[in-house]
Amino acid sequence: KAGVTQTPRYLIKTRGQQVTLSCSPISGHRSVSWYQQTPGQGLQFLFEYFSETQRNKGNFPGRFSGRQFSNSRSEMNVSTLELGDSALYLCASSLEGPGANTGELFFGEGSRLTVL
Amino acid sequence: AQTVTQSQPEMSVQEAETVTLSCTYDTSESDYYLFWYKQPPSRQMILVIRQEAYKQQNATENRFSVNFQKAAKSFSLKISDSQLGDAAMYFCAYRFSGGGADGLTFGKGTHLIIQP
């Protein structure tokens, strides 16, 4: 079974631009969540989607947004990029349903965003 | 809000020896999951071990075991017979197990060095 796939793996943007990152979850997983990892702040929760609905959101400005499609694939978008948005963005999926809630998240390899 | 604290930024152990990584957390909930994730230099986060708060028995996965003290809100990871492949960042994480749960709350991580 294929793991969580994130694209692109690396990208460089300039301040003020926007970026879209993509995540394909493990087949059958309907929950997708996003995390930002930086040396200073560590790993921080961005948001979680389940069956195309945002179920929860972390403490990030409105420039950070996301969505989930009917096939459970998810995208996150960051508009008006700032230098501080440089980070590794991790996507994770989980299997949820009757008798299947283990709480475990399966992570992708991440998208490394550099803002110049 | 829940918090997770890892007080050891870096630990070093000789190959084949045993090492214990510390983690404390704070929550007002009674039902939750605790995890230890490993992030090697390749960056992909891998689950090492998980513990459900309602279970008194400590989880064990081969050379990895935890010491879960619910009243003390402590969740340490013991790695026995350390191997070079165990070198990585280790993150302790918490997740509420209720419906519409937030994402994972991570500690800042412990960098584990294995001395050959």
Side-chain angles (χ1 to χ4, degrees):
Chain A
K1 191 182 251 190
V4 177
T5 304
Q6 290 188 245
T7 56
R9 293 287 307 279
Y10 303 90
L11 66 167
I12 300 173
K13 294 285 186 180
T14 56
R15 280 181 298 174
Q17 287 188 309
Q18 74 165 12
V19 66
T20 298
L21 309 178
S22 179
C23 172
S24 293
I26 292 172
S27 177
H29 287 194
R30 292 193 294 163
S31 172
V32 174
S33 52
W34 290 87
Y35 294 81
Q36 181 195 64
Q37 185 175 22
T38 60
Q41 298 299 316
L43 284 148
Q44 295 183 284
F45 171 68
L46 280 157
F47 27 64
E48 179 185 14
Y49 287 87
F50 182 81
S51 293
E52 301 179 68
T53 300
Q54 187 179 88
R55 194 157 65 173
N56 226 312
K57 191 177 192 305
N59 189 25
F60 278 82
R63 300 186 296 108
F64 291 81
S65 63
R67 58 178 176 169
Q68 186 180 33
F69 302 95
S70 59
N71 62 358
S72 293
R73 191 177 70 84
S74 177
E75 288 181 348
M76 68 162 282
N77 183 277
V78 188
S79 62
T80 318
L81 284 166
E82 300 176 0
L83 295 178
D85 297 333
S86 294
L88 180 66
Y89 290 88
L90 293 170
C91 170
S93 72
S94 63
L95 177 65
E96 292 190 20
N101 292 334
T102 66
E104 179 181 355
L105 300 189
F106 296 82
F107 286 84
E109 292 185 290
S111 293
R112 168 76 65 187
L113 170 65
T114 301
V115 182
L116 302 176
Chain B
Q2 57 276 359
T3 58
V4 176
T5 301
Q6 293 179 249
S7 59
Q8 305 152 317
E10 186 172 280
M11 292 282 286
S12 182
V13 64
Q14 292 288 129
E15 197 176 359
E17 297 294 308
T18 295
V19 63
T20 298
L21 308 184
S22 302
C23 173
T24 58
Y25 60 94
D26 189 26
T27 182
S28 57
E29 305 292 347
S30 58
D31 294 323
Y32 49 86
Y33 302 106
L34 293 166
F35 306 90
W36 279 98
Y37 277 91
K38 169 186 176 182
Q39 188 178 38
S42 66
R43 302 180 317 184
Q44 186 161 23
M45 200 84 70
I46 303 165
L47 179 68
V48 174
I49 199 165
R50 64 185 285 276
Q51 175 82 40
E52 291 163 283
Y54 72 87
K55 290 186 177 178
Q56 291 186 328
Q57 185 171 8
N58 289 324
T60 300
E61 289 286 343
N62 300 313
R63 298 181 295 106
F64 300 87
S65 61
V66 298
N67 183 2
F68 174 48
Q69 302 289 330
K70 190 172 184 179
K73 296 181 181 175
S74 170
F75 184 62
S76 61
L77 173 70
K78 186 171 83 171
I79 305 174
S80 304
D81 185 26
S82 298
Q83 300 175 0
L84 294 178
D86 295 333
M89 283 294 291
Y90 285 80
F91 294 95
C92 178
Y94 162 99
R95 187 180 190 191
F96 174 53
S97 57
D102 290 341
L104 291 172
T105 299
F106 286 92
K108 293 291 188 184
T110 297
H111 181 210
L112 179 62
I113 298 167
I114 310 295
Q115 304 279 4

